[in-house]
Amino acid sequence: MNGFSKTKAMELPRFVVVGHDAIKQVGDVCVNLKLGRRALLVADSTTMKIAGESVLQQLRERKIRVVEYLIPDANWEAVSESKDRIGKEDLDFALGVGGGRSIDVAKLAAFQAGVPFISVPTAASHDGVVSSGASIEKGGVKQTFAAQTPIAVIMDTGIIAESPFRLLASGCGDIISNLTAVKDWALGRNLRNEYYSTYAAALSELAARLLIENAATIKPRLEESAWFVAKALVSSGVAMSIAGSSRPASGSEHKFSHTLDRTAKKPALHGEQCGVGTIMMMYLHGGNWEEVRNALLTIGAPTTARALGVTDEEIIEGLIHAHEIHPERYTILGDAGLNHEAAERLARITKVI
Ligand SMILES: [Zn+2]
């Protein structure tokens, strides 16, 4: 008998298609995966036009019956409605076609109904398009629910490049946030003996590093930029799959962003807030926060309260209360968080306010 007792199960996507005209492969991917003859397609009115109609046509050509559901928003009601349709119509799988919202709704509904889920993002605004978590509004609060890893991810770089650049820049913020997330994870291991995967951490960090090195190449309406960000999001997603949690891509900077979502009058995009959070949390970690800030500036992502469209006081409040989110997830914020003076000092030094 040796003392080795580790076991690990990883849930990874089976097909990832990234690139020009990738949307045209959705039909074949569904057939190759033998998912069945009845599908739910979740989109909104905009993403239906951009990509949903193409998917619909491909599936019908392959004799797959499609039930469409255009969601009003990413809320609990939309998830319940999607799940009901899967059950009532005895559907075999679900596709989410859109930005974050349609994907989150389809992902969680498919998980609850026990059917596979295919992710077809029309924008690269955050790593939820490849991860197992779903961000859904329930009872007026945005919450992250554990769901399932998509069985396939299809990212069309042409469609992503045509989406508003703000979304792509936001996706960059979410990828760069891996840097502080990994540092927080190491703290959790060192101070709480938490499970830690060296492979997941290295892969997650690599995606952020490569993006920072190539920040100058991220430009609006450029398919190469969409390609680069899409691949980095896939790497982040795989890192989370290896870890079996969002730990490698979500730390103190995400707690800050989630707090802003709950307390700011007009929160910015998830990845935008995470990017700004990364600047400040990197300072707390004693790391190179200026490098993070410069990369975000080069890309054209927000680095200040003003650019996020939130007030200085909302930033300070966000810092003070960030540690209260997922308190079991240990980070540089510790168990007590920052006091008002420290929060204000941090935001000023890092030029966020
Ligand atoms: Zn994120």
Side-chain angles (χ1 to χ4, degrees):
M1 275 290 279
N2 64 31
F4 188 83
S5 61
K6 282 189 193 176
T7 312
K8 185 128 188 44
M10 303 174 202
E11 194 183 310
L12 291 146
R14 273 179 61 195
F15 273 108
V16 177
V17 186
V18 183
H20 186 70
D21 277 349
I23 192 78
K24 293 182 179 160
Q25 296 189 40
V26 175
D28 287 340
V29 165
C30 292
V31 170
N32 289 339
L33 285 169
K34 298 187 175 60
L35 296 178
R37 299 241 152 256
R38 297 176 299 265
L40 176 73
L41 192 161
V42 178
D44 61 38
S45 49
T46 311
T47 60
M48 192 65 205
K49 283 196 202 85
I50 294 169
E53 275 160 16
S54 163
V55 172
L56 203 60
Q57 191 194 343
Q58 292 175 52
L59 295 180
R60 286 183 176 154
E61 279 169 11
R62 288 162 182 80
K63 308 265 180 293
I64 296 173
R65 191 167 74 82
V66 185
V67 174
E68 291 169 60
Y69 177 42
L70 298 184
I71 56 161
D73 211 341
N75 54 30
W76 193 253
E77 290 68 37
V79 174
S80 299
E81 176 64 30
S82 303
K83 188 188 152 199
D84 286 351
R85 290 191 190 197
I86 294 171
K88 270 192 215 126
E89 311 251 356
D90 197 20
L91 306 178
D92 302 308
F93 64 104
L95 303 110
V97 180
R101 301 182 311 154
S102 309
I103 286 173
D104 284 337
V105 168
K107 191 195 289 175
L108 188 54
F111 176 65
Q112 291 180 347
V115 300
F117 160 69
I118 295 186
S119 174
V120 188
T122 53
S125 56
H126 59 80
D127 56 29
V129 296
V130 276
S131 77
S132 63
S135 173
I136 299 291
E137 191 196 309
K138 190 182 182 188
V141 185
K142 215 198 238 177
Q143 302 179 47
T144 305
F145 294 90
Q148 60 184 341
T149 303
I151 192 162
V153 182
I154 291 128
M155 302 178 93
D156 188 305
T157 46
I159 291 172
I160 292 169
E162 287 301 315
S163 73
F165 183 69
R166 187 183 168 197
L167 299 177
L168 194 77
S170 173
C172 293
D174 205 18
I175 294 158
I176 288 172
S177 80
N178 292 3
L179 291 178
T180 42
V182 166
K183 284 183 182 293
D184 286 322
W185 196 12
L187 270 186
R189 174 196 58 191
N190 295 341
L191 296 175
R192 292 289 184 273
N193 197 33
E194 195 187 312
Y195 160 78
Y196 179 86
S197 160
T198 312
Y199 280 93
L203 180 59
S204 178
E205 210 174 345
L206 177 69
R209 280 268 142 245
L210 287 175
L211 185 60
I212 286 182
E213 281 166 27
N214 291 279
T217 69
I218 306 299
K219 298 241 160 40
R221 302 203 169 272
L222 198 62
E223 222 172 316
E224 281 84 356
S225 302
W227 166 258
F228 200 92
V229 175
K231 288 204 303 173
L233 290 177
V234 171
S235 298
S236 288
V238 171
M240 287 188 265
S241 285
I242 296 173
S245 82
S246 63
R247 208 33 161 136
S250 171
S252 48
E253 74 299 319
H254 269 66
K255 293 183 184 228
F256 167 73
S257 171
H258 293 318
T259 310
L260 279 186
D261 283 340
R262 291 175 188 199
T263 57
K265 216 149 137 218
K266 260 188 70 196
L269 296 177
H270 169 79
E272 293 177 327
Q273 296 180 161
C274 290
V276 171
T278 306
I279 301 172
M280 297 189 285
M281 301 311 159
M282 190 56 98
Y283 177 90
L284 294 182
H285 274 289
N288 191 348
W289 62 272
E290 282 167 305
E291 178 190 48
V292 173
R293 184 172 183 272
N294 288 336
L296 292 170
L297 282 172
T298 303
I299 290 162
T303 64
T304 62
R306 182 191 285 254
L308 285 177
V310 303
T311 66
D312 291 0
E313 197 51 42
E314 283 173 335
I315 292 282
I316 293 167
E317 287 297 311
L319 286 169
I320 293 171
H321 294 287
H323 71 284
E324 294 161 12
I325 304 269
H326 295 302
E328 74 290 350
R329 181 167 286 197
Y330 197 80
T331 70
I332 192 74
L333 298 166
D335 294 324
L338 279 68
N339 65 21
H340 194 283
E341 292 71 27
E344 187 172 351
R345 176 178 175 274
L346 172 60
R348 287 204 191 288
I349 286 182
T350 52
K351 302 178 181 144
V352 172
I353 65 171

PDB file of all heavy atoms in Angstrom, residues 126-128 174 177 249-250 254 258 270-271 274, ligand 1:
ATOM      1  N   HIS A 126     -17.400  37.419 -21.568  1.00  0.00           N
ATOM      2  CA  HIS A 126     -16.950  36.814 -20.304  1.00  0.00           C
ATOM      3  C   HIS A 126     -16.764  35.314 -20.482  1.00  0.00           C
ATOM      4  O   HIS A 126     -17.203  34.750 -21.497  1.00  0.00           O
ATOM      5  CB  HIS A 126     -17.922  37.115 -19.158  1.00  0.00           C
ATOM      6  CG  HIS A 126     -19.301  36.625 -19.418  1.00  0.00           C
ATOM      7  ND1 HIS A 126     -19.669  35.315 -19.249  1.00  0.00           N
ATOM      8  CD2 HIS A 126     -20.398  37.260 -19.870  1.00  0.00           C
ATOM      9  CE1 HIS A 126     -20.934  35.168 -19.563  1.00  0.00           C
ATOM     10  NE2 HIS A 126     -21.400  36.346 -19.956  1.00  0.00           N
ATOM     11  N   ASP A 127     -16.141  34.673 -19.488  1.00  0.00           N
ATOM     12  CA  ASP A 127     -15.787  33.262 -19.683  1.00  0.00           C
ATOM     13  C   ASP A 127     -16.943  32.307 -19.393  1.00  0.00           C
ATOM     14  O   ASP A 127     -16.777  31.089 -19.500  1.00  0.00           O
ATOM     15  CB  ASP A 127     -14.521  32.893 -18.896  1.00  0.00           C
ATOM     16  CG  ASP A 127     -14.644  33.192 -17.417  1.00  0.00           C
ATOM     17  OD1 ASP A 127     -15.781  33.157 -16.897  1.00  0.00           O
ATOM     18  OD2 ASP A 127     -13.615  33.457 -16.782  1.00  0.00           O
ATOM     19  N   GLY A 128     -18.112  32.847 -19.057  1.00  0.00           N
ATOM     20  CA  GLY A 128     -19.292  32.006 -18.849  1.00  0.00           C
ATOM     21  C   GLY A 128     -19.711  31.248 -20.100  1.00  0.00           C
ATOM     22  O   GLY A 128     -20.417  30.240 -20.003  1.00  0.00           O
ATOM     23  N   ASP A 174     -12.183  40.045 -18.042  1.00  0.00           N
ATOM     24  CA  ASP A 174     -12.481  38.786 -17.350  1.00  0.00           C
ATOM     25  C   ASP A 174     -11.287  37.823 -17.447  1.00  0.00           C
ATOM     26  O   ASP A 174     -10.994  37.100 -16.493  1.00  0.00           O
ATOM     27  CB  ASP A 174     -13.741  38.158 -17.960  1.00  0.00           C
ATOM     28  CG  ASP A 174     -14.461  37.230 -16.998  1.00  0.00           C
ATOM     29  OD1 ASP A 174     -14.208  37.317 -15.777  1.00  0.00           O
ATOM     30  OD2 ASP A 174     -15.271  36.412 -17.453  1.00  0.00           O
ATOM     31  N   SER A 177      -8.379  38.976 -15.237  1.00  0.00           N
ATOM     32  CA  SER A 177      -8.668  38.766 -13.814  1.00  0.00           C
ATOM     33  C   SER A 177      -8.183  37.398 -13.326  1.00  0.00           C
ATOM     34  O   SER A 177      -8.090  37.162 -12.115  1.00  0.00           O
ATOM     35  CB  SER A 177     -10.166  38.931 -13.536  1.00  0.00           C
ATOM     36  OG  SER A 177     -10.880  37.766 -13.882  1.00  0.00           O
ATOM     37  N   ALA A 249     -10.390  31.208 -12.120  1.00  0.00           N
ATOM     38  CA  ALA A 249     -10.743  32.407 -12.887  1.00  0.00           C
ATOM     39  C   ALA A 249     -11.616  33.370 -12.093  1.00  0.00           C
ATOM     40  O   ALA A 249     -12.185  34.299 -12.660  1.00  0.00           O
ATOM     41  CB  ALA A 249     -11.462  31.998 -14.184  1.00  0.00           C
ATOM     42  N   SER A 250     -11.737  33.164 -10.803  1.00  0.00           N
ATOM     43  CA  SER A 250     -12.603  34.023 -10.008  1.00  0.00           C
ATOM     44  C   SER A 250     -12.108  34.117  -8.573  1.00  0.00           C
ATOM     45  O   SER A 250     -12.172  33.141  -7.822  1.00  0.00           O
ATOM     46  CB  SER A 250     -14.040  33.466 -10.047  1.00  0.00           C
ATOM     47  OG  SER A 250     -14.861  34.146  -9.132  1.00  0.00           O
ATOM     48  N   HIS A 254     -13.443  39.231  -8.549  1.00  0.00           N
ATOM     49  CA  HIS A 254     -14.819  38.871  -8.876  1.00  0.00           C
ATOM     50  C   HIS A 254     -15.773  39.209  -7.719  1.00  0.00           C
ATOM     51  O   HIS A 254     -16.905  39.598  -7.944  1.00  0.00           O
ATOM     52  CB  HIS A 254     -14.916  37.392  -9.247  1.00  0.00           C
ATOM     53  CG  HIS A 254     -14.740  37.132 -10.709  1.00  0.00           C
ATOM     54  ND1 HIS A 254     -13.549  37.374 -11.355  1.00  0.00           N
ATOM     55  CD2 HIS A 254     -15.608  36.686 -11.661  1.00  0.00           C
ATOM     56  CE1 HIS A 254     -13.698  37.076 -12.642  1.00  0.00           C
ATOM     57  NE2 HIS A 254     -14.932  36.648 -12.856  1.00  0.00           N
ATOM     58  N   HIS A 258     -19.053  41.343  -8.158  1.00  0.00           N
ATOM     59  CA  HIS A 258     -20.380  40.892  -7.701  1.00  0.00           C
ATOM     60  C   HIS A 258     -20.988  41.897  -6.710  1.00  0.00           C
ATOM     61  O   HIS A 258     -22.196  42.106  -6.685  1.00  0.00           O
ATOM     62  CB  HIS A 258     -20.278  39.516  -7.036  1.00  0.00           C
ATOM     63  CG  HIS A 258     -19.897  38.416  -7.999  1.00  0.00           C
ATOM     64  ND1 HIS A 258     -20.422  38.321  -9.259  1.00  0.00           N
ATOM     65  CD2 HIS A 258     -19.046  37.363  -7.878  1.00  0.00           C
ATOM     66  CE1 HIS A 258     -19.924  37.267  -9.875  1.00  0.00           C
ATOM     67  NE2 HIS A 258     -19.070  36.666  -9.068  1.00  0.00           N
ATOM     68  N   HIS A 270     -19.771  42.786 -16.439  1.00  0.00           N
ATOM     69  CA  HIS A 270     -19.042  41.892 -15.541  1.00  0.00           C
ATOM     70  C   HIS A 270     -17.516  41.977 -15.746  1.00  0.00           C
ATOM     71  O   HIS A 270     -16.765  42.225 -14.810  1.00  0.00           O
ATOM     72  CB  HIS A 270     -19.537  40.458 -15.768  1.00  0.00           C
ATOM     73  CG  HIS A 270     -18.698  39.424 -15.111  1.00  0.00           C
ATOM     74  ND1 HIS A 270     -18.796  39.137 -13.773  1.00  0.00           N
ATOM     75  CD2 HIS A 270     -17.716  38.619 -15.599  1.00  0.00           C
ATOM     76  CE1 HIS A 270     -17.920  38.191 -13.468  1.00  0.00           C
ATOM     77  NE2 HIS A 270     -17.262  37.857 -14.561  1.00  0.00           N
ATOM     78  N   GLY A 271     -17.078  41.774 -16.976  1.00  0.00           N
ATOM     79  CA  GLY A 271     -15.642  41.751 -17.253  1.00  0.00           C
ATOM     80  C   GLY A 271     -14.974  43.104 -17.036  1.00  0.00           C
ATOM     81  O   GLY A 271     -13.812  43.176 -16.635  1.00  0.00           O
ATOM     82  N   CYS A 274     -14.508  43.369 -13.332  1.00  0.00           N
ATOM     83  CA  CYS A 274     -13.455  42.438 -12.901  1.00  0.00           C
ATOM     84  C   CYS A 274     -12.074  42.978 -13.264  1.00  0.00           C
ATOM     85  O   CYS A 274     -11.121  42.834 -12.496  1.00  0.00           O
ATOM     86  CB  CYS A 274     -13.653  41.064 -13.539  1.00  0.00           C
ATOM     87  SG  CYS A 274     -15.080  40.196 -12.876  1.00  0.00           S
TER      88      CYS A 274
HETATM   89 ZN    ZN B   1     -15.849  36.275 -14.711  1.00  0.00          ZN
END
